[in-house]
Amino acid sequence: MADANTTPYVGRAMKRIEDPRLITGAGTYTDDLRLSGMVHAAILRSPHAHARIKKIDTAAARAIPGVVAVLTGADVNASCGFVPCAASMPDLKAPKHTVLAGDRVYFVGHAVAVAIASDPYVARDAIDAIDVDYDPLPVVANAEDAVKSGSPLTHPDLGTNVAYTHNVSGGGNIDEAFRKADRIVKHRLYHQRLTPMPIEPRGVVASYHAGEGALTLWTSTQIPHLIRTLLPGMIGVPENKMRIVAPEVGGGFGAKLNVYAEEALISHLAMRLHTPVKWIESRRDNASATIHGRDQIGEYEVAVKNDGTILGLKSKTIADLGSYLQLLTPAVPTLTGLVLTGCYKIPAVKMEIVGVYTHKMATDAYRGAGRPEATYLIERLMDVIAQELKIDRLELRLKHFPAPGDFPFPTSCGLVYDSGNYAAALTKAKQLANWDQLLKDRAAARAAGKLSGIGVSTYVEICAMGPSKAMPAGGWEWGCVRMEISAKVTVITGVSPHGQGQETTFAQIVADRIGVPIEDVVVMHGDTAVAHYGRDTYGSRGTAVGGTAIVMCIDKILTKAKILAAHLFETTVDHVVFEKGTFTSPGVTNRVITWPELAGEFYVAKNLPADLEPGLEASSFFEPQNFTFPFGTHIAVVDVDRDTGQVTITKYVAVDDCGPQINPLIVEGQVQGGIAHSIGQVLFEQTIYDEDGQLVTGEFMDYAIPRAHDIPDYILGSTVTPSPVNPLGVKGVGEAGTIGATPAIANAVMDALEPLGITHMNLPLTPEKVWQAIKSKN
Amino acid sequence: MPVHVHVNVNQSDQHHDVEPRLLLVHYLRDVCGLTGTHVGCETSLCGSCTVLVDGKAVKSCTMFAVQADGSAVTTVEGLAKDGQLHPVQQGFWECHGLQCGFCTPGMMMASVALLAQTAKPSREQITEGLRGNLCRCTGYSHIIDAVNHAAAHGGVRLQPDSAQGVARG
């Protein structure tokens, strides 16, 4: 029976069940696997952004003692299929993406050859000994250049650098909106390319069991199930003979939401060499050959009346896709189009997105995937409009919020926002920030000659991905709950958490609803031999979609349990009362049945009703009918040093509404982690390729992610607006920080610089760039 | 040619013949079987591989195993004693100082070294002390909380004998 002193578990800031193994060094990440006979692979990558491979000489590498094999594209590509892209777009022009380069390389980091050796050091010696003769070819490394006539072509055989053109239009007549406008506000924004940089690089271990014709693949991934769906088509092992395991995964952020060449290549090598093969990515390879994010350039026009009323929004965006399409590459920019209007009533929209190939690593889903871009642009635009029309930026926002009674709220972009109270979040954030005092402090600072700024962002985002009709390969989620004969509860989920804490939050949900101590609940995930089906972890879907599948299982279990309890009480189901783990039948009998007794009866199975199956297990697929739409308000206060250009965040307030919180401690961690990504994006992160397509930011030395001293103290708050889309009411919180924070911090810096007449700067706002801007106005 | 090394790892004497180019982190992981110490960058920038060598926080990806000959090394596996978590481990657990857990061993070893030097560090001393350790999940706030928690609960305790090298006979 559950302890009355500890339930309900839901809503409590509990420490995590998964932590003891992780804080004692007992977790097993991919690189920690040691299989008998295992050999090690190292991959040689192209130093050129575009070149013809004239010759590859592997003789010296093969002669090194301990080297098992050295293979090139000619040796393996025919057996490894093509790296898949799951996002289909009309008229999409897509290059064939082999696991190793064919006769050309298309980006710095493009895999050219693989060496396998008994020792990882020897494997690296071997790739150093491979001699590749390259003939460099013309390079295009800038997406705007790539669409100009005469540009070098990324893939000459495609005949164009344009992969696709995607148009979004909705709401009223956009041309009429612009005709009726008093003013057209124009702005150009660049969402710089970012590198996700999980601290654990990718890694793969493959083991082939020739007798059964079965493959086991351990891979540092967010999506073991999607890999099991897609890898069979690459290497010819059928889905039902393929086991994919995501062991402990050291961070993902979208970088591991993909099917990578190495997953097919290393699987093939295990089959070909008849021995387990391990490949662990170096940091340099992670920076050059794991997906990047963002990289969109947009020109935006807003039709406004003089009183601030927004009539319409037009945009043209060029999205830099890099040289190849990874799993969701072309779809990510289209997500920007889905939430372009933010949390505002904007009656007409039109967006054109042009996806462009360049000689760079592919872009794909990085934390937020399309929504940070949309939120940054609409929130910058709101400030620009307020500034041009000289109206209060909060009033402008409030004026365009849908009211709580307007939900479900259909947007001009074609979505229906589930629930919201945007003004409440803004009001709470103002209170927590002490808004009026902030304005006085800023005025005083400015009077003293300082550059002080306040930035606000009111955001809405898309979570709980999602309805299958809107997803490339199913957006449902699967779960299974089993009460064992011992009355312990085994929960299996098809989501694949890698830090999000669902071993804890799902146990909280299950323990409350079944009425057992949380210590008796185990949550399993990430192994397709255990979690047979799933659509994995991305898009802040774990709890809203995966958790709901678990709730459905619990409902089935309780329904079945009541049938047996009624049988044992010699009554009917409608006379059975279930509460906190005990079954009673008031008025019928004084007998009390607890789970251990009932579980025993289910599995001993000597006294079951004739039509009741033994065992107490249920599985469910949950198909969400809509996305969820979390929202909130972030307020950032910054000081800018006139002499150095250094930006310091002096206050940060975030009010996020992700619906009811299963575990507020975990929610807080997700929000703080997300904001840190934004601090990086606004202040110093940028993936840089030079004009020759050389990657300049290939290590942590050159690609600056935030360190502890970059982080301000936060004032965090929340409002709670349940979602009607799922029975838990939860909305998701994995990406909110990254979506809400970037515009708040950027707007604060621009506010600080506004007295100097500086109206726009591209991110990141590095000290050098800010100092140059200040200097240009002196 | 392999070189003999004698390293006291988590208070256990280890004798091995290793290649001179073998990094300490690979010695710990692959020779000693202690996979709690992680490799995140191989360039001493991320700090995931941080261990204590003679009581000092060291990035074991940029030190050779032969350079640790004669030293005492403490890894994350050596923090808990008799089933009792070290106060730093307890702090990280209590304060949700980890999400994916990959940087956590290095982050905790750096925290142990920090608290050995500064028993009650200020926020600035904590962020300065952890400057060499990257975390991409937590955004650091809960890590700062974790170190404060450890400081308030006896975190200054270093493991006995961990600051001394091996006895040479």
Side-chain angles (χ1 to χ4, degrees), chain A residues 19-27, chain B residues 36 76-80 85 89 104-105 108:
Chain A
D19 284 358
R21 65 177 187 266
L22 301 175
I23 55 176
T24 54
Chain B
V76 63
E77 290 92 342
L79 280 183
L85 293 176
Q89 291 172 306
T104 310
M108 291 194 303

Side-chain angles (χ1 to χ4, degrees), chain A residues 342-363:
Chain A
C343 49
Y344 308 112
K345 292 183 282 191
I346 298 179
V349 293
K350 183 170 189 287
M351 182 179 194
E352 180 193 81
I353 300 161
V354 182
V356 174
Y357 292 116
T358 58
H359 290 116
K360 298 192 274 193
M361 180 58 201
T363 48

Side-chain angles (χ1 to χ4, degrees), chain A residues 298-346:
Chain A
E299 311 264 1
Y300 306 98
E301 293 181 45
V302 192
V304 290
K305 302 293 278 183
N306 282 334
D307 67 354
T309 304
I310 299 173
L311 303 175
L313 169 61
K314 273 200 285 200
S315 91
K316 275 190 87 158
T317 293
I318 292 178
D320 189 336
L321 307 178
S323 63
Y324 279 118
L325 302 180
Q326 284 282 344
L327 190 63
L328 301 167
T329 298
V332 172
T334 68
L335 282 171
T336 305
L338 274 181
V339 68
L340 193 63
T341 53
C343 49
Y344 308 112
K345 292 183 282 191
I346 298 179

Side-chain angles (χ1 to χ4, degrees), chain A residues 60-62 64 67 69-70 115-117 121-130:
Chain A
R62 282 184 281 118
I64 295 172
V67 172
V70 182
I116 305 97
Y121 284 46
V122 175
R124 287 200 183 185
D125 290 343
I127 60 170
D128 286 348
I130 299 170

